[in-house]
């Protein structure tokens, strides 16, 4: 199918944007919530309307959680704060709440909370306050840090574009290791200062508690709160006088529930199977993370559903996955079920995070650009696919893209996760671990876990070009020997 025909048949940017708005009518689409269930029903209807067959839900046991009632007082003054997701989770399941152990406690500031900062500090029964800096982020950093060699950067506007100060708010740095050391040394609680993030400190981070295992801890047991630089300015005078007494609160509930995936099929002329997926669960409105990716999957389902079967040489399985913010149970279960079908799994094609670029000004307030954020595309380096993606990105002028070749290698999902170069850090992670080749695009916007993630942050003009480019990719995979 040539590019012109794809553009004629593919959904318009306005139609794709409308899907994003519909998904965002169900904010906080956390696994097991009523909002998640409503979103899953909507996606199922859209898959059926697109002409997919065998559209169904796949449920698997997963952690469902709620978190509420967080607060921070220092010397009886209310301090703006936000919960650190994954903390106050001493047992796999149950309801947990702070009490007297976190009331009127000495507040101890330990800089970035590196190992040497804790050496002489007595933090038992106290509340530890640590800076939590992030790494700087730009195209070159991702191309060199996340890819050992062979990354291709397509950024023709680099020299004419205003460079914004941005940080990588996803990769561990001082945190969570400072939190873990505070817990190991008997602290009652932990407060992290988001030095290189939005000044309000609202960050619904993914659950990184698996890292505790590599440090000799079973879980993130003590409560944790984020504060921003604005709140830290209020605390500095009290810290200098060494007279800060803090009270913090947090309530969490972890329960056995389900993750619900939505799956449908477009039959082709062979059983060779291409997977096309994104995830639909979210926090806040979740427009960029990940109504944007899910809307492209729905548009692709509609496009390929309109093509005669004899023009589809391979079968395509479309999926909306659940469980991104706790244990990824939906993702793992989906991959296992696909492997158990015994089909030749050609590729897992994934789209995430089509959103505007945002940086920080000198005061850590957001600076919004109308340009799209950098795009990372992981490509398993087989069958000349890296060259195909590189050529397509340049021909279609998909700007600010880093193509990142990764090896086809399996990874034991039961081992403790530790980042390695050339590893797929995206929704395609479990597919890649299972040995399924991937083509996976995502962008690392700073606001993915912040209330800023609304439809207004989606650049509508990017939606059709990106979707149509992925239609070309899937056509290429269908024709591939």
């Amino acid at each position: 199918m040539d590019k012109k025909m794809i553009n004629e048949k593919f959904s318009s940017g306005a139609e794709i944007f409308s899907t994003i708005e519909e998904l965002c009518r169900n904010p906080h689409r956390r696994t097991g919530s009523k909002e998640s269930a409503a979103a899953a029903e909507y996606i199922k209807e859209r898959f059926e309307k697109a002409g997919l067959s065998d559209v169904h839900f796949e449920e698997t046991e997963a952690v469902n959680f709620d978190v509420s009632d967080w607060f921070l007082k220092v010397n009886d003054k209310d301090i703006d704060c936000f919960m650190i997701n994954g903390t106050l989770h001493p047992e796999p399941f149950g309801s947990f709440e702070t009490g007297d152990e976190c009331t009127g406690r000495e507040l101890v500031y330990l800089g970035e909370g590196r190992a040497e900062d804790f050496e002489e500090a007595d933090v038992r029964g106290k509340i530890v306050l640590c800076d939590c800096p992030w790494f700087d982020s730009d195209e070159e950093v991702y191309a060199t840090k996340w890819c050992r060699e062979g990354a291709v950067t397509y950024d023709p506007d680099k020299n004419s574009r205003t460079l914004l100060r941005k940080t990588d708010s996803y990769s561990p740095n001082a945190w969570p290791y400072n939190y873990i050391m505070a817990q190991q040394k008997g602290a009652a609680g932990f407060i992290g200062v988001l030095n290189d993030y939005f000044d309000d400190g609202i960050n619904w981070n993914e659950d990184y508690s698996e890292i505790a295992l590599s440090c000799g801890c079973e879980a993130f047991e003590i409560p944790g709160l984020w504060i921003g630089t604005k709140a830290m300015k209020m605390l500095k005078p009290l810290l200098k006088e060494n007279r800060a007494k803090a009270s913090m609160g947090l309530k969490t509930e972890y329960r056995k529930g389900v993750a619900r995936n939505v799956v449908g099929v477009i039959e082709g002329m062979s059983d060779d199977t291409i997977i096309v997926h994104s995830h639909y669960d979210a926090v806040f409105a979740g427009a960029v993370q990940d109504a944007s990716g899910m809307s492209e999957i729905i548009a692709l389902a509609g496009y390929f559903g309109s093509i005669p079967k004899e023009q589809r040489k391979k079968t395509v399985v479309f999926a909306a996955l659940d469980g991104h913010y706790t244990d990824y149970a939906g993702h793992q279960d989906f991959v296992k079920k696909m492997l158990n079908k015994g089909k030749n799994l050609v590729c897992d094609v994934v789209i995430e995070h089509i959103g505007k670029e945002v940086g920080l000004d000198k005061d850590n307030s957001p600076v919004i650009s109308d340009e799209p954020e950098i795009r990372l595309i992981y490509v398993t380096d087989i069958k000349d696919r890296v060259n195909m993606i590189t050529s397509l990105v340049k021909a279609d002028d998909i700007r600010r893209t880093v193509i990142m070749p990764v090896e086809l290698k399996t990874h034991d999902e039961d081992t403790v996760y530790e980042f390695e170069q050339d590893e797929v850090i995206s929704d395609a992670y479990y597919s890649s671990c299972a040995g399924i080749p991937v083509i996976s695009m995502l962008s690392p916007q700073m606001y993915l876990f912040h209330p800023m993630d609304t439809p207004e942050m989606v650049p509508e003009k990017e939606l059709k070009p990106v979707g149509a480019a992925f239609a070309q990719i899937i056509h290429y995979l269908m024709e591939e020997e």
Side-chain angles (χ1 to χ4, degrees):
M1 187 73 68
D2 63 34
K3 180 178 176 180
K4 182 180 178 181
M5 290 296 295
I6 292 173
N7 283 329
E8 289 177 355
K9 294 175 68 70
F10 204 81
S11 299
S12 69
E15 290 169 328
I16 300 169
F17 188 81
S18 176
T19 300
I20 293 171
E21 291 181 312
E22 288 297 321
L23 284 167
C24 289
R25 295 185 193 281
N26 296 295
H28 279 294
R29 300 182 294 276
R30 299 199 305 277
T31 302
S33 67
K34 67 179 186 301
E35 293 84 1
S36 173
E41 290 286 353
Y42 171 77
I43 294 167
K44 183 173 182 288
E45 290 175 7
R46 292 297 303 273
F47 277 0
E48 291 170 340
K49 185 177 179 180
L52 276 62
S53 62
D54 189 27
V55 180
H56 62 282
F57 296 131
E58 293 181 355
E59 294 187 347
T60 188
E61 184 176 289
V63 175
N64 293 172
F65 77 103
D66 285 304
V67 57
S68 62
D69 296 353
W70 58 84
F71 70 85
L72 175 62
K73 291 178 179 288
V74 178
N75 291 4
D76 294 324
K77 184 176 182 62
D78 291 327
I79 305 296
D80 289 338
C81 64
F82 196 77
M83 60 87 190
I84 300 181
N85 185 32
T87 65
L88 194 59
H89 191 181
E91 300 291 338
F93 300 103
S95 297
F96 312 102
E97 186 173 2
T98 53
D100 291 343
E101 78 282 358
C102 290
T103 303
R105 299 292 166 168
E106 182 180 341
L107 183 62
V108 181
Y109 174 60
L110 294 180
E112 292 184 2
R114 308 290 182 175
E116 57 270 22
D117 298 318
F118 277 92
E119 283 180 1
E120 303 299 326
D122 176 16
V123 302
R124 185 165 296 279
K126 302 173 185 178
I127 293 175
V128 172
L129 172 69
C130 290
D131 293 322
C132 297
W134 303 129
F135 297 105
D136 289 339
S137 166
D138 60 24
E139 284 85 340
E140 294 301 321
V141 168
Y142 283 108
T144 56
K145 178 185 172 186
W146 288 26
C147 190
R148 185 174 290 109
E149 59 182 327
V152 178
T153 300
Y154 178 64
D155 188 13
D157 301 326
K158 179 178 180 179
N159 294 329
S160 61
R161 189 176 63 249
T162 300
L163 297 180
L164 301 180
R165 179 169 73 95
K166 296 181 296 184
T167 58
D168 172 9
S169 54
Y170 312 105
S171 299
N173 188 342
W175 188 85
Y177 304 102
N178 46 17
Y179 168 94
I180 293 168
M181 283 186 279
Q183 176 176 296
Q184 290 174 324
K185 289 182 173 290
F190 176 87
I191 301 168
V193 185
L194 293 172
N195 310 80
D196 304 313
Y197 186 69
F198 306 123
D199 60 2
D200 59 14
I202 301 175
N203 176 36
W204 196 309
N205 56 282
E206 289 192 47
D207 187 339
Y208 288 170
S209 57
E210 185 180 14
I211 294 175
L213 296 172
S214 66
C215 300
C217 296
E218 291 297 320
F220 279 10
E221 298 180 6
I222 63 175
L225 298 174
W226 294 125
I227 63 171
T229 50
K230 190 181 294 184
M232 186 59 177
K233 287 178 182 177
M234 296 176 59
L235 291 180
K236 280 185 176 179
L238 300 177
L239 293 170
K240 286 181 179 178
E241 297 173 17
N242 197 29
R243 58 183 180 85
K245 295 288 186 180
S247 298
M248 62 186 296
L250 184 63
K251 184 185 293 184
T252 62
E253 181 183 0
Y254 293 85
R255 57 190 179 275
K256 291 183 180 180
V258 298
R260 176 180 291 170
N261 298 330
V262 190
V263 181
V265 180
I266 291 180
E267 297 290 347
M269 299 301 291
S270 77
D271 285 340
D272 289 351
T273 300
I274 301 164
I275 301 167
V276 180
H277 96 259
S278 190
H279 72 91
Y280 70 92
D281 60 316
V283 294
F284 304 116
V288 175
Q289 162 98 318
D290 212 324
S292 66
M294 198 63 244
S295 70
E296 295 284 22
I297 303 308
I298 291 170
L300 285 163
Y303 168 76
F304 281 99
S306 70
I307 294 174
K309 181 176 179 179
E310 58 269 19
Q311 295 180 24
R312 303 191 301 256
K313 294 187 177 181
K314 297 182 175 76
T315 293
V316 187
V317 172
F318 290 87
L321 302 187
D322 187 16
H324 197 78
Y325 291 90
T326 50
D327 54 1
Y328 282 87
H331 296 67
Q332 295 178 68
D333 185 65
F334 173 73
V335 170
K336 288 177 181 176
K337 286 177 177 174
M338 290 302 303
L339 292 171
N340 288 340
K341 293 179 186 297
K343 310 292 186 184
N344 176 33
L345 301 178
V346 173
C347 192
D348 186 5
V349 179
V350 184
I351 306 176
E352 301 177 81
H353 314 164
I354 301 169
K356 295 178 182 177
E357 178 186 30
V358 169
L360 301 171
D361 69 10
K362 61 182 179 59
D363 297 317
N364 283 7
S365 295
V367 178
I368 302 174
S369 166
D370 284 331
E371 295 299 315
E373 182 55 272
I374 170 183
R375 296 172 251 245
L376 311 176
I377 303 182
Y378 294 100
V379 186
T380 305
D381 195 3
I382 61 170
K383 295 184 177 179
D384 207 35
R385 291 180 186 175
V386 173
N387 291 337
M388 178 269 293
I389 296 291
T390 302
S391 297
L392 187 149
V393 162
K394 293 179 178 179
D396 285 11
D397 201 28
I398 308 296
R399 299 178 173 227
R400 305 201 65 195
T401 298
V402 181
I403 298 106
M404 304 175 66
V406 291
E407 297 178 9
L408 182 61
K409 58 182 179 182
T410 58
H411 184 285
D412 183 356
E413 67 182 51
D414 294 325
T415 60
V416 176
Y417 171 75
E418 292 186 46
F419 169 74
E420 299 176 0
Q421 277 187 319
D422 303 329
E423 196 162 57
V424 177
I425 312 300
S426 77
D427 222 53
Y429 173 76
Y430 287 102
S431 295
S432 183
C433 286
I436 302 170
V438 305
I439 297 173
S440 177
M441 186 197 82
L442 79 163
S443 291
Q445 289 89 352
M446 293 180 64
Y447 54 83
L448 295 181
F449 304 137
H450 188 275
M452 285 177 61
D453 185 8
T454 62
E456 290 73 21
M457 299 308 295
V458 178
E460 184 178 321
K461 65 182 180 181
E462 296 291 320
L463 295 173
K464 179 165 184 172
V466 170
F470 271 85
Q472 291 182 71
I473 290 169
I474 296 167
H475 275 297
Y476 173 94
L477 296 173
M478 285 185 173
E479 297 294 329
E480 189 181 61
E481 295 297 331

